[in-house]
Amino acid sequence: MNTVNPIVISTWYHGERANEAASNVLQKGGSALDAVVAGAAVSEEDPNVMDVGYGGLPGENGIVTLDAAVMGPGGRSGSVAGVGGVVNAAAVAKKVMEETEHAMIVGEGAKRFALKKGFQEKNLLTEKARQRWLEWEKDPEKSSAWLSEQSHNETLGILAMDQKGDLAGACTTSGAAWKIHGRVGDSPLIGAGLYVDNEVGAAAATGAGREVIAICGSFLIVENMRRGMSAHLACENALQRMIDRHGGDVEFQVGFVALRKDGETGAASIMNPFEFALFHDGKNRLAKAKAMLDKQTSFYNIYR
Ligand code: GLY
């Protein structure tokens, strides 16, 4: 059988290390699905990545809850939303996909499911994240942040093609900082934060969840690629639709990454900066995506 050169593309600076783990799986002949879950685990377990997994910023009540989804080449998906006390939300989402008849499990039920499947319980709130939350609590302006969909968000979206040419993706996040307890973003919603069609391509999102949900962002990008757009143009078209919905006046950040079945990749964002990590031809590199607007996001990097 002819083998394909593996590819991984993911969001943000921490995607670079996630890609390393994912590409290790792929280079040993592992599946795209196992690769993206291995990549997701790197960001989820790193306490310094404050938007994903352990160390993620909490909601308004100081409790960290996670959202994640996976989608494989067979067209099946699994996701969890608002799950606390377990680090590897993407791996839990994979269990939902592979070991239940369901597509999504939320809240306490998701935690109970994870523990039953052998995941260890862990307090996700680090001291660093707790201090940020206490600062926010004291801030007299906090009500405006409370309403924000992206008081800080560098969600990991990761897409891979394995040696068989099969595609898979994962999206994992602690969601909008200071979110109302129970708020769910785009990341665990198939078609919004993540979509994979093994015949066409895959896409994943980061940024203001509400906006990605409103245009079914990742599904739209895959459909754009089905109609023949390059991965990059497919991302730009989805972002333009978001911008148009707001009459061109946009103050939120969204970034997309996309991977076409022929191995072509793309990434784009509304504002600067948005980095993505690309593993291709055996090399892993971090690059800056092209922004649609000549604007700088004020949400970037505030807690790194
Ligand atoms: N994009 C992640 C979120 O809005 O929760």
Side-chain angles (χ1 to χ4, degrees), residues 35 56 101 109 213 216 230 241:
E101 288 299 312
I213 293 167
C216 296
S230 70
R241 189 173 296 199

Side-chain angles (χ1 to χ4, degrees), residues 118-156:
F119 289 82
Q120 293 303 306
E121 186 162 6
K122 181 162 177 162
N123 177 9
L124 301 178
L125 185 68
T126 58
E127 184 52 28
K128 189 172 162 189
R130 195 177 78 87
Q131 287 306 325
R132 300 291 179 270
W133 172 66
L134 290 174
E135 280 164 28
W136 171 77
E137 273 266 282
K138 281 191 229 121
D139 181 355
E141 302 283 314
K142 74 176 180 184
S143 58
S144 59
W146 191 63
L147 294 173
S148 171
E149 265 287 289
Q150 58 161 56
S151 23
H152 185 235
N153 197 286
E154 292 177 1
T155 293
L156 181 80

Side-chain angles (χ1 to χ4, degrees), residues 149 153 155 173 175-176 183 185-187 206-209:
E149 265 287 289
N153 197 286
T155 293
T173 190
R183 176 260 187 198
D186 58 309
S187 308
T206 178

